[in-house]
Amino acid sequence: MRVSGVLRFLALIFALVTTWICIRSYISLNMKTLRLPRWLNLATKEIPVVRTKCGLTKPCPKEFFAFKISSGAANVVGPTMCFENQVIMSPVKNNVGRGLNIALVNGTSGTVLTQKSFDMYSGDVKLLVKFLKEIPEGTLVLVASYDDPGTKMNDETRKLLSSLGSSYAKQLGFRDSWVFLGAKDLKDKSPFEQFLKNNPSKNKYDGWPELLELEGCVPRKIV
């Protein structure tokens, strides 16, 4: 009887010790599990989110203006122009049209001077010629095509656009895609230009090439 009593006592002690060890391990594991998400949460809060003007891939230097220009998509979606985080022209603003969409910006202050669209399919090209001739000195010129920018284009218009720094104005034709940023009487050709010829065998859309996007940082007083 004494031996059996001792064995029962030892078994009880063993059971209590085992239970205590299991409870302690369980509590310790739960504490680690709870702490891990808190640590991760704190780490993510320390990562800053960099927001750039006009949604550019990287911010511009201090003495530069940020811009982004998108041409129209076929004759369905109109073009968009953003300058220094200000949307100048877009389908949402309802101030774009078929042909050439042009915005003028003061090259020193970055102030938007005006924006207009010119119908280059059935409109009067003389209105565009007059507009281009009256651009003030030191003005940045943003251009985006929509649907058809070239049917009404003539030699005078091409010459005026080329004087703004365009390399492709002389080639611009029916339903071509074109985005461009130049300036009044620019001495050299502008580095900010993209052009895509209307080619039935290569067009992305039925009858139109794909839309173009142009973004970058333009220095103040580019002229």
Side-chain angles (χ1 to χ4, degrees):
M1 291 295 292
R2 292 180 179 177
V3 175
S4 63
V6 172
L7 291 175
R8 289 174 183 170
F9 178 76
L10 290 175
L12 178 62
I13 294 298
F14 178 79
L16 291 173
V17 171
T18 303
T19 303
W20 180 77
I21 292 174
C22 290
I23 293 173
R24 184 176 179 182
S25 299
Y26 178 78
I27 293 174
S28 178
L29 180 62
N30 278 334
M31 289 298 291
K32 290 179 181 178
T33 304
L34 289 171
R35 287 172 184 170
L36 184 60
R38 292 177 182 173
W39 177 80
L40 286 174
N41 189 38
L42 290 174
T44 55
K45 289 182 178 179
E46 293 175 0
I47 300 175
V49 177
V50 179
R51 298 185 182 278
T52 58
K53 294 178 180 179
C54 295
L56 267 61
T57 53
K58 59 181 180 180
C60 293
K62 185 178 180 180
E63 294 300 318
F64 286 71
F65 294 124
F67 75 91
K68 179 181 282 188
I69 307 172
S70 300
S71 69
N75 62 346
V76 179
V77 180
T80 300
M81 293 184 191
C82 177
F83 191 87
E84 280 294 281
N85 224 31
Q86 177 186 352
V87 176
I88 304 174
M89 304 183 76
S90 74
V92 175
K93 295 177 74 71
N94 196 30
N95 62 351
V96 297
R98 177 177 66 177
L100 291 179
N101 294 267
I102 304 177
L104 304 183
V105 178
N106 184 293
T108 302
S109 66
T111 303
V112 177
L113 303 177
T114 188
Q115 66 278 328
K116 290 187 177 181
S117 61
F118 299 89
D119 187 342
M120 299 301 290
Y121 181 76
S122 59
D124 186 357
V125 72
K126 293 180 181 178
L127 297 176
L128 175 60
V129 171
K130 183 176 183 296
F131 179 83
L132 295 175
K133 285 183 175 180
E134 294 177 352
I135 296 176
E137 293 289 335
T139 301
L140 297 175
V141 184
L142 290 73
V143 185
S145 66
Y146 179 32
D147 188 6
D148 174 26
T151 296
K152 288 284 186 173
M153 193 72 63
N154 58 25
D155 291 341
E156 186 176 15
T157 309
R158 296 181 193 279
K159 184 177 179 180
L160 289 169
L161 291 171
S162 296
S163 71
L164 299 174
S166 172
S167 299
Y168 295 101
K170 294 180 180 180
Q171 306 177 35
L172 198 62
F174 177 65
R175 289 185 176 178
D176 292 343
S177 286
W178 183 45
V179 284
F180 167 67
L181 185 147
K184 178 69 173 182
D185 292 327
L186 192 63
K187 295 178 182 179
D188 300 310
K189 292 300 180 183
S190 171
F192 306 113
E193 185 173 23
Q194 288 189 24
F195 172 77
L196 196 57
K197 196 69 180 173
N198 172 23
N199 187 330
S201 63
K202 297 181 179 180
N203 285 345
K204 182 175 181 179
Y205 309 111
D206 184 18
W208 291 268
E210 64 181 314
L211 67 84
L212 296 174
E213 284 192 347
L214 178 69
E215 67 172 55
C217 304
V218 58
R220 297 174 187 267
K221 296 182 180 179
I222 187 174
V223 294

